[in-house]
Amino acid sequence: MILTPTRELAFQIDENTKAYSQYTQLRCTSIVGGVSQKVQELSLHQGADIVIATPGRLIDLINQKCIYLQYDHISVFDEADRMLDMGFINVKKIITKMPGKKQTLFFSATMPPEISNMVKSLLVNPVKVEITPVSSTVDRILLL
């Protein structure tokens, strides 16, 4: 399961995931609002190894019993800082539907205290990995 805040980002992740897995047996599908739910239900019914979803549509399909998350072993929360800005209540609802024992990854360009606190409350033995920019800006440039 890859959860992302916007439909556009979900489609981008879906496109890349399908390209990366084209020579495998993996089946990917996106679950987003603003498009036909029936097509998404059919795709889920046919089976999916990787589901890319936005929180709102995923909650809708969970409530309609069209998707079950008890077999989710790896959860990725992309742009977690943006999902927090949009209201993390849906994400918390989704997490409660997932099994307790799974690998969870939160990706965020920024790490506001709210996300740090939430991560600490939801995860067991979380590890923080920070990437610093490869190059930094120079203080001054000398022209010769």
Side-chain angles (χ1 to χ4, degrees):
M1 170 71 64
I2 301 173
L3 198 66
T4 186
T6 66
R7 172 180 48 204
E8 295 77 18
L9 187 53
F11 287 143
Q12 181 182 359
I13 293 169
D14 183 65
E15 184 179 304
N16 285 303
T17 303
K18 286 178 178 169
Y20 300 146
S21 63
Q22 69 181 344
Y23 299 110
T24 71
Q25 299 297 316
L26 293 174
R27 297 178 70 153
C28 310
T29 191
S30 5
I31 305 299
V32 299
V35 296
S36 171
Q37 180 176 317
K38 291 295 180 195
V39 172
Q40 295 172 5
E41 288 176 28
L42 179 61
S43 180
L44 288 171
H45 183 70
Q46 292 173 344
D49 300 299
I50 301 171
V51 175
I52 299 105
T54 55
R57 177 56 60 94
L58 183 58
I59 290 283
D60 290 345
L61 292 176
I62 289 170
N63 290 339
Q64 296 170 32
K65 302 196 184 328
C66 295
I67 187 171
Y68 300 93
L69 303 180
Q70 71 264 25
Y71 301 110
D72 182 35
H73 299 290
I74 301 173
S75 302
V76 176
F77 294 85
D78 193 24
E79 300 284 345
D81 54 341
R82 290 195 53 208
M83 283 193 277
L84 179 65
D85 290 341
M86 297 166 68
F88 228 78
I89 190 73
N90 282 341
V91 174
K92 288 182 180 180
K93 286 180 187 176
I94 291 166
I95 289 172
T96 64
K97 302 292 184 183
M98 295 176 169
K101 191 168 185 166
K102 66 183 174 313
Q103 183 173 11
T104 305
L105 299 105
F106 284 87
F107 290 93
S108 180
T110 62
M111 189 61 74
E114 296 90 348
I115 291 181
S116 292
N117 294 336
M118 187 198 62
V119 166
K120 289 175 188 171
S121 72
L122 295 174
L123 303 182
V124 177
N125 298 323
V127 175
K128 183 177 181 180
V129 178
E130 283 186 270
I131 307 293
T132 55
V134 175
S135 60
S136 58
T137 58
V138 293
D139 291 330
R140 61 181 210 199
I141 297 174
L142 298 175
L143 297 176
L144 301 175

